[in-house]
Amino acid sequence: MSHAPPNPALARANAAHTAAFGAPPASAALAPGRVNLIGEHTDYNEGLVLPFAIQHCCAAAVSPRTDSQVHILAPDLPAEQQAFAFDLHSHDRTSMRGDWASYIAGPAVLLAAIGNQKTGVNITIASDVPLGAGLSSSAAAEVSVAMALAGLWRLDLAPL
């Protein structure tokens, strides 16, 4: 039986998470980028779409915290953009920076509410999905974070 080599984005996320937070992640997930053969911007209008996954992925590694803080790390970004933190329970969505961190904070806030989570989380993301290339890098980030948090918080989410 052969085993697939480890995903490079997942390896980077796990290593950066361990280095930054002092312990390996408790849960991790991958989500692929995608292209739309047909259907750009018609999916939310109930139009026909034909997306397909590509080999490039975004990985999210997560671990629990004992306080209500959410610490987000993206080591693939320039140093001044790599880190963001907020309080899970007093989070004011109007105060977001309006950049990549919003794509990570959104699933964290939503799933914490669904799962009635009281404590925060450390999140590290790494991706080889090209940013701004129309390959759904933001969707890959959101899905990988959501799936990693669902695993950490033992949320029973339907795949769809």
mmCIF file of all heavy atoms in Angstrom, residues 36-92:
data_model
loop_
_atom_site.group_PDB
_atom_site.id
_atom_site.type_symbol
_atom_site.label_atom_id
_atom_site.label_comp_id
_atom_site.label_asym_id
_atom_site.label_seq_id
_atom_site.Cartn_x
_atom_site.Cartn_y
_atom_site.Cartn_z
ATOM 1 N N ASN A 36 -13.977 27.738 -12.066
ATOM 2 C CA ASN A 36 -15.316 27.571 -12.603
ATOM 3 C C ASN A 36 -15.209 27.483 -14.122
ATOM 4 O O ASN A 36 -14.839 28.455 -14.771
ATOM 5 C CB ASN A 36 -16.214 28.753 -12.234
ATOM 6 C CG ASN A 36 -16.598 28.731 -10.776
ATOM 7 O OD1 ASN A 36 -16.852 27.673 -10.212
ATOM 8 N ND2 ASN A 36 -16.642 29.896 -10.161
ATOM 9 N N LEU A 37 -15.504 26.313 -14.657
ATOM 10 C CA LEU A 37 -15.521 26.156 -16.100
ATOM 11 C C LEU A 37 -16.662 26.993 -16.685
ATOM 12 O O LEU A 37 -16.494 27.685 -17.678
ATOM 13 C CB LEU A 37 -15.679 24.685 -16.480
ATOM 14 C CG LEU A 37 -15.537 24.354 -17.944
ATOM 15 C CD1 LEU A 37 -14.175 24.787 -18.460
ATOM 16 C CD2 LEU A 37 -15.730 22.875 -18.174
ATOM 17 N N ILE A 38 -17.816 26.909 -16.026
ATOM 18 C CA ILE A 38 -18.919 27.826 -16.319
ATOM 19 C C ILE A 38 -19.529 28.232 -14.987
ATOM 20 O O ILE A 38 -19.398 27.532 -13.989
ATOM 21 C CB ILE A 38 -20.019 27.200 -17.218
ATOM 22 C CG1 ILE A 38 -20.678 25.998 -16.535
ATOM 23 C CG2 ILE A 38 -19.490 26.864 -18.580
ATOM 24 C CD1 ILE A 38 -21.914 25.489 -17.253
ATOM 25 N N GLY A 39 -20.187 29.392 -14.965
ATOM 26 C CA GLY A 39 -20.965 29.732 -13.791
ATOM 27 C C GLY A 39 -20.379 30.771 -12.863
ATOM 28 O O GLY A 39 -20.801 30.865 -11.725
ATOM 29 N N GLU A 40 -19.425 31.547 -13.307
ATOM 30 C CA GLU A 40 -18.879 32.589 -12.445
ATOM 31 C C GLU A 40 -19.997 33.527 -11.993
ATOM 32 O O GLU A 40 -20.714 34.083 -12.813
ATOM 33 C CB GLU A 40 -17.805 33.376 -13.207
ATOM 34 C CG GLU A 40 -16.884 34.172 -12.326
ATOM 35 C CD GLU A 40 -15.987 33.307 -11.456
ATOM 36 O OE1 GLU A 40 -15.605 32.212 -11.879
ATOM 37 O OE2 GLU A 40 -15.681 33.746 -10.340
ATOM 38 N N HIS A 41 -20.189 33.662 -10.710
ATOM 39 C CA HIS A 41 -21.191 34.546 -10.086
ATOM 40 C C HIS A 41 -22.632 34.153 -10.372
ATOM 41 O O HIS A 41 -23.534 34.950 -10.163
ATOM 42 C CB HIS A 41 -20.955 36.014 -10.476
ATOM 43 C CG HIS A 41 -19.607 36.514 -10.082
ATOM 44 N ND1 HIS A 41 -19.242 36.668 -8.778
ATOM 45 C CD2 HIS A 41 -18.539 36.869 -10.833
ATOM 46 C CE1 HIS A 41 -17.992 37.105 -8.721
ATOM 47 N NE2 HIS A 41 -17.547 37.222 -9.951
ATOM 48 N N THR A 42 -22.878 32.956 -10.852
ATOM 49 C CA THR A 42 -24.273 32.549 -11.039
ATOM 50 C C THR A 42 -24.715 31.572 -9.963
ATOM 51 O O THR A 42 -25.907 31.320 -9.815
ATOM 52 C CB THR A 42 -24.498 31.896 -12.418
ATOM 53 O OG1 THR A 42 -23.691 30.724 -12.515
ATOM 54 C CG2 THR A 42 -24.197 32.852 -13.537
ATOM 55 N N ASP A 43 -23.779 31.017 -9.196
ATOM 56 C CA ASP A 43 -24.152 30.023 -8.197
ATOM 57 C C ASP A 43 -25.119 30.588 -7.169
ATOM 58 O O ASP A 43 -26.089 29.947 -6.800
ATOM 59 C CB ASP A 43 -22.923 29.418 -7.523
ATOM 60 C CG ASP A 43 -21.973 30.437 -6.951
ATOM 61 O OD1 ASP A 43 -22.162 31.653 -7.179
ATOM 62 O OD2 ASP A 43 -21.027 30.028 -6.266
ATOM 63 N N TYR A 44 -24.906 31.798 -6.709
ATOM 64 C CA TYR A 44 -25.803 32.377 -5.708
ATOM 65 C C TYR A 44 -27.081 32.934 -6.326
ATOM 66 O O TYR A 44 -27.966 33.398 -5.620
ATOM 67 C CB TYR A 44 -25.097 33.440 -4.870
ATOM 68 C CG TYR A 44 -24.301 34.466 -5.656
ATOM 69 C CD1 TYR A 44 -24.916 35.567 -6.229
ATOM 70 C CD2 TYR A 44 -22.926 34.312 -5.804
ATOM 71 C CE1 TYR A 44 -24.193 36.491 -6.947
ATOM 72 C CE2 TYR A 44 -22.188 35.248 -6.510
ATOM 73 C CZ TYR A 44 -22.831 36.333 -7.079
ATOM 74 O OH TYR A 44 -22.102 37.259 -7.789
ATOM 75 N N ASN A 45 -27.213 32.862 -7.643
ATOM 76 C CA ASN A 45 -28.449 33.246 -8.333
ATOM 77 C C ASN A 45 -29.155 32.024 -8.929
ATOM 78 O O ASN A 45 -29.981 32.162 -9.836
ATOM 79 C CB ASN A 45 -28.147 34.253 -9.443
ATOM 80 C CG ASN A 45 -27.734 35.588 -8.888
ATOM 81 O OD1 ASN A 45 -28.405 36.119 -8.021
ATOM 82 N ND2 ASN A 45 -26.628 36.123 -9.356
ATOM 83 N N GLU A 46 -28.785 30.859 -8.430
ATOM 84 C CA GLU A 46 -29.365 29.583 -8.841
ATOM 85 C C GLU A 46 -29.152 29.274 -10.316
ATOM 86 O O GLU A 46 -29.941 28.571 -10.944
ATOM 87 C CB GLU A 46 -30.849 29.530 -8.463
ATOM 88 C CG GLU A 46 -31.068 29.634 -6.971
ATOM 89 C CD GLU A 46 -32.526 29.517 -6.566
ATOM 90 O OE1 GLU A 46 -33.328 28.953 -7.332
ATOM 91 O OE2 GLU A 46 -32.837 29.988 -5.464
ATOM 92 N N GLY A 47 -28.061 29.772 -10.869
ATOM 93 C CA GLY A 47 -27.719 29.464 -12.248
ATOM 94 C C GLY A 47 -26.892 28.195 -12.341
ATOM 95 O O GLY A 47 -26.531 27.585 -11.341
ATOM 96 N N LEU A 48 -26.578 27.800 -13.562
ATOM 97 C CA LEU A 48 -25.779 26.603 -13.786
ATOM 98 C C LEU A 48 -24.302 26.894 -13.504
ATOM 99 O O LEU A 48 -23.783 27.941 -13.897
ATOM 100 C CB LEU A 48 -25.945 26.126 -15.230
ATOM 101 C CG LEU A 48 -27.361 25.721 -15.626
ATOM 102 C CD1 LEU A 48 -27.414 25.405 -17.109
ATOM 103 C CD2 LEU A 48 -27.836 24.542 -14.794
ATOM 104 N N VAL A 49 -23.661 25.952 -12.840
ATOM 105 C CA VAL A 49 -22.242 26.090 -12.536
ATOM 106 C C VAL A 49 -21.529 24.766 -12.804
ATOM 107 O O VAL A 49 -22.136 23.710 -12.765
ATOM 108 C CB VAL A 49 -21.992 26.515 -11.066
ATOM 109 C CG1 VAL A 49 -22.574 27.879 -10.784
ATOM 110 C CG2 VAL A 49 -22.549 25.501 -10.094
ATOM 111 N N LEU A 50 -20.255 24.865 -13.096
ATOM 112 C CA LEU A 50 -19.433 23.676 -13.252
ATOM 113 C C LEU A 50 -18.042 23.985 -12.689
ATOM 114 O O LEU A 50 -17.094 24.234 -13.432
ATOM 115 C CB LEU A 50 -19.344 23.239 -14.718
ATOM 116 C CG LEU A 50 -18.551 21.958 -14.985
ATOM 117 C CD1 LEU A 50 -19.130 20.791 -14.191
ATOM 118 C CD2 LEU A 50 -18.540 21.640 -16.460
ATOM 119 N N PRO A 51 -17.918 24.011 -11.347
ATOM 120 C CA PRO A 51 -16.602 24.232 -10.741
ATOM 121 C C PRO A 51 -15.865 22.903 -10.583
ATOM 122 O O PRO A 51 -16.494 21.837 -10.547
ATOM 123 C CB PRO A 51 -16.951 24.816 -9.372
ATOM 124 C CG PRO A 51 -18.261 24.184 -9.040
ATOM 125 C CD PRO A 51 -18.981 23.991 -10.358
ATOM 126 N N PHE A 52 -14.555 22.965 -10.513
ATOM 127 C CA PHE A 52 -13.812 21.768 -10.159
ATOM 128 C C PHE A 52 -12.588 22.137 -9.349
ATOM 129 O O PHE A 52 -12.042 23.236 -9.460
ATOM 130 C CB PHE A 52 -13.459 20.906 -11.382
ATOM 131 C CG PHE A 52 -12.643 21.596 -12.436
ATOM 132 C CD1 PHE A 52 -11.258 21.509 -12.442
ATOM 133 C CD2 PHE A 52 -13.268 22.324 -13.449
ATOM 134 C CE1 PHE A 52 -10.509 22.127 -13.429
ATOM 135 C CE2 PHE A 52 -12.524 22.941 -14.439
ATOM 136 C CZ PHE A 52 -11.142 22.849 -14.425
ATOM 137 N N ALA A 53 -12.225 21.225 -8.466
ATOM 138 C CA ALA A 53 -11.101 21.429 -7.555
ATOM 139 C C ALA A 53 -9.789 21.348 -8.328
ATOM 140 O O ALA A 53 -9.674 20.636 -9.327
ATOM 141 C CB ALA A 53 -11.122 20.379 -6.452
ATOM 142 N N ILE A 54 -8.808 22.098 -7.840
ATOM 143 C CA ILE A 54 -7.464 22.050 -8.401
ATOM 144 C C ILE A 54 -6.515 21.461 -7.362
ATOM 145 O O ILE A 54 -6.903 21.233 -6.221
ATOM 146 C CB ILE A 54 -6.998 23.456 -8.851
ATOM 147 C CG1 ILE A 54 -6.984 24.433 -7.673
ATOM 148 C CG2 ILE A 54 -7.901 23.974 -9.976
ATOM 149 C CD1 ILE A 54 -6.381 25.802 -7.989
ATOM 150 N N GLN A 55 -5.278 21.225 -7.749
ATOM 151 C CA GLN A 55 -4.336 20.577 -6.841
ATOM 152 C C GLN A 55 -3.824 21.503 -5.741
ATOM 153 O O GLN A 55 -3.326 21.038 -4.726
ATOM 154 C CB GLN A 55 -3.155 20.008 -7.615
ATOM 155 C CG GLN A 55 -2.280 21.077 -8.250
ATOM 156 C CD GLN A 55 -1.164 20.485 -9.093
ATOM 157 O OE1 GLN A 55 -1.116 19.291 -9.324
ATOM 158 N NE2 GLN A 55 -0.267 21.332 -9.545
ATOM 159 N N HIS A 56 -3.947 22.798 -5.904
ATOM 160 C CA HIS A 56 -3.484 23.743 -4.883
ATOM 161 C C HIS A 56 -4.482 23.785 -3.727
ATOM 162 O O HIS A 56 -5.691 23.793 -3.954
ATOM 163 C CB HIS A 56 -3.310 25.137 -5.476
ATOM 164 C CG HIS A 56 -2.311 25.182 -6.583
ATOM 165 N ND1 HIS A 56 -0.965 25.052 -6.375
ATOM 166 C CD2 HIS A 56 -2.475 25.314 -7.916
ATOM 167 C CE1 HIS A 56 -0.325 25.121 -7.518
ATOM 168 N NE2 HIS A 56 -1.230 25.272 -8.478
ATOM 169 N N CYS A 57 -3.957 23.823 -2.480
ATOM 170 C CA CYS A 57 -4.804 23.732 -1.296
ATOM 171 C C CYS A 57 -4.466 24.797 -0.268
ATOM 172 O O CYS A 57 -3.361 25.330 -0.242
ATOM 173 C CB CYS A 57 -4.614 22.373 -0.613
ATOM 174 S SG CYS A 57 -5.191 20.985 -1.575
ATOM 175 N N CYS A 58 -5.436 25.048 0.595
ATOM 176 C CA CYS A 58 -5.234 25.847 1.796
ATOM 177 C C CYS A 58 -5.373 24.900 2.981
ATOM 178 O O CYS A 58 -6.287 24.070 3.010
ATOM 179 C CB CYS A 58 -6.260 26.974 1.895
ATOM 180 S SG CYS A 58 -6.017 28.004 3.363
ATOM 181 N N ALA A 59 -4.471 25.016 3.934
ATOM 182 C CA ALA A 59 -4.504 24.185 5.138
ATOM 183 C C ALA A 59 -4.753 25.065 6.351
ATOM 184 O O ALA A 59 -4.249 26.187 6.429
ATOM 185 C CB ALA A 59 -3.176 23.445 5.309
ATOM 186 N N ALA A 60 -5.521 24.553 7.277
ATOM 187 C CA ALA A 60 -5.758 25.233 8.555
ATOM 188 C C ALA A 60 -5.407 24.272 9.681
ATOM 189 O O ALA A 60 -5.814 23.110 9.664
ATOM 190 C CB ALA A 60 -7.206 25.677 8.676
ATOM 191 N N ALA A 61 -4.643 24.758 10.638
ATOM 192 C CA ALA A 61 -4.285 24.006 11.835
ATOM 193 C C ALA A 61 -4.807 24.786 13.033
ATOM 194 O O ALA A 61 -4.636 26.011 13.096
ATOM 195 C CB ALA A 61 -2.766 23.843 11.922
ATOM 196 N N VAL A 62 -5.468 24.108 13.964
ATOM 197 C CA VAL A 62 -6.102 24.795 15.084
ATOM 198 C C VAL A 62 -5.808 24.091 16.403
ATOM 199 O O VAL A 62 -5.560 22.886 16.438
ATOM 200 C CB VAL A 62 -7.631 24.917 14.894
ATOM 201 C CG1 VAL A 62 -7.957 25.701 13.628
ATOM 202 C CG2 VAL A 62 -8.303 23.566 14.853
ATOM 203 N N SER A 63 -5.845 24.872 17.473
ATOM 204 C CA SER A 63 -5.724 24.337 18.824
ATOM 205 C C SER A 63 -6.531 25.212 19.770
ATOM 206 O O SER A 63 -6.729 26.401 19.516
ATOM 207 C CB SER A 63 -4.252 24.267 19.261
ATOM 208 O OG SER A 63 -3.669 25.561 19.255
ATOM 209 N N PRO A 64 -7.009 24.618 20.869
ATOM 210 C CA PRO A 64 -7.830 25.385 21.802
ATOM 211 C C PRO A 64 -6.983 26.326 22.658
ATOM 212 O O PRO A 64 -5.796 26.107 22.861
ATOM 213 C CB PRO A 64 -8.480 24.303 22.668
ATOM 214 C CG PRO A 64 -7.502 23.173 22.634
ATOM 215 C CD PRO A 64 -6.868 23.222 21.277
ATOM 216 N N ARG A 65 -7.639 27.366 23.153
ATOM 217 C CA ARG A 65 -7.047 28.289 24.111
ATOM 218 C C ARG A 65 -7.849 28.202 25.406
ATOM 219 O O ARG A 65 -8.963 27.695 25.409
ATOM 220 C CB ARG A 65 -7.074 29.720 23.573
ATOM 221 C CG ARG A 65 -6.217 29.932 22.324
ATOM 222 C CD ARG A 65 -6.279 31.373 21.850
ATOM 223 N NE ARG A 65 -5.835 32.315 22.860
ATOM 224 C CZ ARG A 65 -4.566 32.687 23.074
ATOM 225 N NH1 ARG A 65 -3.607 32.172 22.313
ATOM 226 N NH2 ARG A 65 -4.259 33.562 24.004
ATOM 227 N N THR A 66 -7.298 28.746 26.480
ATOM 228 C CA THR A 66 -8.020 28.756 27.748
ATOM 229 C C THR A 66 -8.751 30.078 27.973
ATOM 230 O O THR A 66 -9.553 30.180 28.882
ATOM 231 C CB THR A 66 -7.059 28.504 28.921
ATOM 232 O OG1 THR A 66 -6.032 29.491 28.892
ATOM 233 C CG2 THR A 66 -6.452 27.110 28.822
ATOM 234 N N ASP A 67 -8.470 31.080 27.140
ATOM 235 C CA ASP A 67 -9.173 32.360 27.231
ATOM 236 C C ASP A 67 -10.136 32.480 26.053
ATOM 237 O O ASP A 67 -10.356 31.516 25.331
ATOM 238 C CB ASP A 67 -8.180 33.529 27.283
ATOM 239 C CG ASP A 67 -7.257 33.577 26.065
ATOM 240 O OD1 ASP A 67 -7.548 32.920 25.032
ATOM 241 O OD2 ASP A 67 -6.242 34.285 26.124
ATOM 242 N N SER A 68 -10.707 33.642 25.834
ATOM 243 C CA SER A 68 -11.674 33.805 24.744
ATOM 244 C C SER A 68 -11.068 34.469 23.515
ATOM 245 O O SER A 68 -11.784 34.910 22.625
ATOM 246 C CB SER A 68 -12.885 34.617 25.237
ATOM 247 O OG SER A 68 -12.464 35.907 25.637
ATOM 248 N N GLN A 69 -9.746 34.493 23.433
ATOM 249 C CA GLN A 69 -9.066 35.099 22.300
ATOM 250 C C GLN A 69 -8.985 34.140 21.112
ATOM 251 O O GLN A 69 -8.876 32.927 21.281
ATOM 252 C CB GLN A 69 -7.638 35.510 22.687
ATOM 253 C CG GLN A 69 -7.585 36.652 23.684
ATOM 254 C CD GLN A 69 -8.017 37.943 23.033
ATOM 255 O OE1 GLN A 69 -7.451 38.375 22.043
ATOM 256 N NE2 GLN A 69 -9.058 38.556 23.589
ATOM 257 N N VAL A 70 -9.040 34.716 19.923
ATOM 258 C CA VAL A 70 -8.760 33.981 18.690
ATOM 259 C C VAL A 70 -7.489 34.592 18.122
ATOM 260 O O VAL A 70 -7.437 35.794 17.854
ATOM 261 C CB VAL A 70 -9.916 34.101 17.680
ATOM 262 C CG1 VAL A 70 -9.542 33.430 16.355
ATOM 263 C CG2 VAL A 70 -11.188 33.497 18.246
ATOM 264 N N HIS A 71 -6.448 33.784 18.004
ATOM 265 C CA HIS A 71 -5.179 34.227 17.430
ATOM 266 C C HIS A 71 -5.016 33.552 16.082
ATOM 267 O O HIS A 71 -5.053 32.330 15.988
ATOM 268 C CB HIS A 71 -4.010 33.886 18.356
ATOM 269 C CG HIS A 71 -3.959 34.742 19.560
ATOM 270 N ND1 HIS A 71 -2.874 35.513 19.872
ATOM 271 C CD2 HIS A 71 -4.870 34.983 20.541
ATOM 272 C CE1 HIS A 71 -3.108 36.184 20.983
ATOM 273 N NE2 HIS A 71 -4.321 35.867 21.412
ATOM 274 N N ILE A 72 -4.858 34.367 15.052
ATOM 275 C CA ILE A 72 -4.757 33.875 13.682
ATOM 276 C C ILE A 72 -3.366 34.178 13.152
ATOM 277 O O ILE A 72 -2.886 35.311 13.269
ATOM 278 C CB ILE A 72 -5.811 34.549 12.778
ATOM 279 C CG1 ILE A 72 -7.221 34.363 13.345
ATOM 280 C CG2 ILE A 72 -5.726 33.997 11.364
ATOM 281 C CD1 ILE A 72 -8.277 35.208 12.659
ATOM 282 N N LEU A 73 -2.733 33.185 12.554
ATOM 283 C CA LEU A 73 -1.396 33.326 11.993
ATOM 284 C C LEU A 73 -1.410 32.827 10.551
ATOM 285 O O LEU A 73 -1.948 31.756 10.268
ATOM 286 C CB LEU A 73 -0.396 32.517 12.819
ATOM 287 C CG LEU A 73 1.043 32.498 12.352
ATOM 288 C CD1 LEU A 73 1.659 33.892 12.454
ATOM 289 C CD2 LEU A 73 1.847 31.508 13.169
ATOM 290 N N ALA A 74 -0.825 33.615 9.651
ATOM 291 C CA ALA A 74 -0.702 33.233 8.233
ATOM 292 C C ALA A 74 0.741 33.446 7.812
ATOM 293 O O ALA A 74 1.094 34.495 7.264
ATOM 294 C CB ALA A 74 -1.658 34.052 7.378
ATOM 295 N N PRO A 75 1.611 32.474 8.064
ATOM 296 C CA PRO A 75 3.044 32.654 7.829
ATOM 297 C C PRO A 75 3.439 32.850 6.375
ATOM 298 O O PRO A 75 4.552 33.306 6.106
ATOM 299 C CB PRO A 75 3.669 31.381 8.407
ATOM 300 C CG PRO A 75 2.571 30.381 8.395
ATOM 301 C CD PRO A 75 1.297 31.145 8.594
ATOM 302 N N ASP A 76 2.558 32.554 5.432
ATOM 303 C CA ASP A 76 2.882 32.736 4.014
ATOM 304 C C ASP A 76 2.779 34.194 3.575
ATOM 305 O O ASP A 76 3.231 34.546 2.487
ATOM 306 C CB ASP A 76 1.956 31.897 3.133
ATOM 307 C CG ASP A 76 2.173 30.403 3.307
ATOM 308 O OD1 ASP A 76 3.236 29.995 3.806
ATOM 309 O OD2 ASP A 76 1.264 29.637 2.945
ATOM 310 N N LEU A 77 2.159 35.030 4.388
ATOM 311 C CA LEU A 77 1.965 36.441 4.039
ATOM 312 C C LEU A 77 3.157 37.280 4.492
ATOM 313 O O LEU A 77 3.947 36.846 5.326
ATOM 314 C CB LEU A 77 0.680 36.966 4.686
ATOM 315 C CG LEU A 77 -0.616 36.341 4.188
ATOM 316 C CD1 LEU A 77 -1.801 36.919 4.952
ATOM 317 C CD2 LEU A 77 -0.796 36.541 2.699
ATOM 318 N N PRO A 78 3.285 38.505 3.984
ATOM 319 C CA PRO A 78 4.345 39.399 4.460
ATOM 320 C C PRO A 78 4.248 39.608 5.978
ATOM 321 O O PRO A 78 3.149 39.579 6.547
ATOM 322 C CB PRO A 78 4.080 40.709 3.715
ATOM 323 C CG PRO A 78 3.315 40.297 2.489
ATOM 324 C CD PRO A 78 2.496 39.110 2.907
ATOM 325 N N ALA A 79 5.368 39.832 6.620
ATOM 326 C CA ALA A 79 5.446 39.894 8.077
ATOM 327 C C ALA A 79 4.419 40.827 8.705
ATOM 328 O O ALA A 79 3.808 40.496 9.720
ATOM 329 C CB ALA A 79 6.859 40.295 8.508
ATOM 330 N N GLU A 80 4.186 41.984 8.104
ATOM 331 C CA GLU A 80 3.260 42.953 8.698
ATOM 332 C C GLU A 80 1.799 42.520 8.595
ATOM 333 O O GLU A 80 0.929 43.106 9.239
ATOM 334 C CB GLU A 80 3.445 44.343 8.079
ATOM 335 C CG GLU A 80 3.074 44.448 6.616
ATOM 336 C CD GLU A 80 4.169 44.007 5.640
ATOM 337 O OE1 GLU A 80 5.238 43.553 6.090
ATOM 338 O OE2 GLU A 80 3.943 44.116 4.426
ATOM 339 N N GLN A 81 1.498 41.481 7.816
ATOM 340 C CA GLN A 81 0.127 41.010 7.642
ATOM 341 C C GLN A 81 -0.115 39.634 8.249
ATOM 342 O O GLN A 81 -1.231 39.117 8.191
ATOM 343 C CB GLN A 81 -0.216 40.939 6.149
ATOM 344 C CG GLN A 81 -0.180 42.245 5.441
ATOM 345 C CD GLN A 81 -0.423 42.064 3.944
ATOM 346 O OE1 GLN A 81 -0.655 40.976 3.455
ATOM 347 N NE2 GLN A 81 -0.368 43.164 3.223
ATOM 348 N N GLN A 82 0.892 39.033 8.860
ATOM 349 C CA GLN A 82 0.806 37.634 9.265
ATOM 350 C C GLN A 82 -0.090 37.337 10.456
ATOM 351 O O GLN A 82 -0.587 36.229 10.575
ATOM 352 C CB GLN A 82 2.195 37.081 9.579
ATOM 353 C CG GLN A 82 3.025 36.844 8.373
ATOM 354 C CD GLN A 82 4.370 36.227 8.712
ATOM 355 O OE1 GLN A 82 4.691 35.994 9.874
ATOM 356 N NE2 GLN A 82 5.156 35.967 7.699
ATOM 357 N N ALA A 83 -0.294 38.264 11.363
ATOM 358 C CA ALA A 83 -0.986 37.942 12.608
ATOM 359 C C ALA A 83 -2.170 38.859 12.846
ATOM 360 O O ALA A 83 -2.156 40.035 12.473
ATOM 361 C CB ALA A 83 -0.017 38.037 13.779
ATOM 362 N N PHE A 84 -3.195 38.289 13.477
ATOM 363 C CA PHE A 84 -4.382 39.044 13.849
ATOM 364 C C PHE A 84 -4.990 38.353 15.055
ATOM 365 O O PHE A 84 -4.935 37.130 15.165
ATOM 366 C CB PHE A 84 -5.389 39.069 12.691
ATOM 367 C CG PHE A 84 -6.617 39.878 12.987
ATOM 368 C CD1 PHE A 84 -6.551 41.260 13.044
ATOM 369 C CD2 PHE A 84 -7.829 39.257 13.220
ATOM 370 C CE1 PHE A 84 -7.679 42.016 13.315
ATOM 371 C CE2 PHE A 84 -8.967 40.009 13.485
ATOM 372 C CZ PHE A 84 -8.886 41.389 13.541
ATOM 373 N N ALA A 85 -5.566 39.114 15.965
ATOM 374 C CA ALA A 85 -6.219 38.539 17.143
ATOM 375 C C ALA A 85 -7.467 39.351 17.477
ATOM 376 O O ALA A 85 -7.532 40.547 17.205
ATOM 377 C CB ALA A 85 -5.267 38.519 18.330
ATOM 378 N N PHE A 86 -8.440 38.675 18.051
ATOM 379 C CA PHE A 86 -9.650 39.339 18.522
ATOM 380 C C PHE A 86 -10.292 38.474 19.591
ATOM 381 O O PHE A 86 -9.960 37.304 19.753
ATOM 382 C CB PHE A 86 -10.630 39.608 17.373
ATOM 383 C CG PHE A 86 -11.203 38.377 16.724
ATOM 384 C CD1 PHE A 86 -12.399 37.823 17.167
ATOM 385 C CD2 PHE A 86 -10.541 37.777 15.665
ATOM 386 C CE1 PHE A 86 -12.918 36.691 16.566
ATOM 387 C CE2 PHE A 86 -11.066 36.651 15.056
ATOM 388 C CZ PHE A 86 -12.259 36.094 15.511
ATOM 389 N N ASP A 87 -11.214 39.064 20.352
ATOM 390 C CA ASP A 87 -11.949 38.339 21.368
ATOM 391 C C ASP A 87 -13.177 37.704 20.726
ATOM 392 O O ASP A 87 -13.957 38.385 20.060
ATOM 393 C CB ASP A 87 -12.357 39.270 22.512
ATOM 394 C CG ASP A 87 -12.976 38.484 23.637
ATOM 395 O OD1 ASP A 87 -14.210 38.274 23.602
ATOM 396 O OD2 ASP A 87 -12.236 38.052 24.541
ATOM 397 N N LEU A 88 -13.352 36.435 20.946
ATOM 398 C CA LEU A 88 -14.414 35.674 20.309
ATOM 399 C C LEU A 88 -15.800 36.174 20.690
ATOM 400 O O LEU A 88 -16.713 36.154 19.874
ATOM 401 C CB LEU A 88 -14.281 34.198 20.691
ATOM 402 C CG LEU A 88 -15.197 33.197 20.006
ATOM 403 C CD1 LEU A 88 -14.989 33.214 18.501
ATOM 404 C CD2 LEU A 88 -14.956 31.805 20.558
ATOM 405 N N HIS A 89 -15.960 36.660 21.917
ATOM 406 C CA HIS A 89 -17.296 36.999 22.395
ATOM 407 C C HIS A 89 -17.635 38.484 22.326
ATOM 408 O O HIS A 89 -18.800 38.838 22.384
ATOM 409 C CB HIS A 89 -17.489 36.457 23.806
ATOM 410 C CG HIS A 89 -17.297 34.982 23.849
ATOM 411 N ND1 HIS A 89 -18.147 34.114 23.204
ATOM 412 C CD2 HIS A 89 -16.326 34.220 24.394
ATOM 413 C CE1 HIS A 89 -17.711 32.872 23.372
ATOM 414 N NE2 HIS A 89 -16.613 32.912 24.083
ATOM 415 N N SER A 90 -16.636 39.322 22.208
ATOM 416 C CA SER A 90 -16.945 40.749 22.087
ATOM 417 C C SER A 90 -16.530 41.253 20.709
ATOM 418 O O SER A 90 -16.287 42.428 20.516
ATOM 419 C CB SER A 90 -16.235 41.546 23.180
ATOM 420 O OG SER A 90 -14.834 41.449 23.022
ATOM 421 N N HIS A 91 -16.471 40.332 19.774
ATOM 422 C CA HIS A 91 -16.018 40.651 18.427
ATOM 423 C C HIS A 91 -17.010 41.565 17.725
ATOM 424 O O HIS A 91 -18.182 41.243 17.578
ATOM 425 C CB HIS A 91 -15.824 39.363 17.630
ATOM 426 C CG HIS A 91 -15.367 39.587 16.234
ATOM 427 N ND1 HIS A 91 -14.206 40.241 15.944
ATOM 428 C CD2 HIS A 91 -15.919 39.255 15.058
ATOM 429 C CE1 HIS A 91 -14.067 40.295 14.635
ATOM 430 N NE2 HIS A 91 -15.089 39.714 14.080
ATOM 431 N N ASP A 92 -16.554 42.713 17.312
ATOM 432 C CA ASP A 92 -17.368 43.672 16.564
ATOM 433 C C ASP A 92 -16.970 43.549 15.097
ATOM 434 O O ASP A 92 -15.857 43.899 14.719
ATOM 435 C CB ASP A 92 -17.091 45.077 17.090
ATOM 436 C CG ASP A 92 -17.826 46.145 16.305
ATOM 437 O OD1 ASP A 92 -18.643 45.810 15.416
ATOM 438 O OD2 ASP A 92 -17.574 47.326 16.581
#
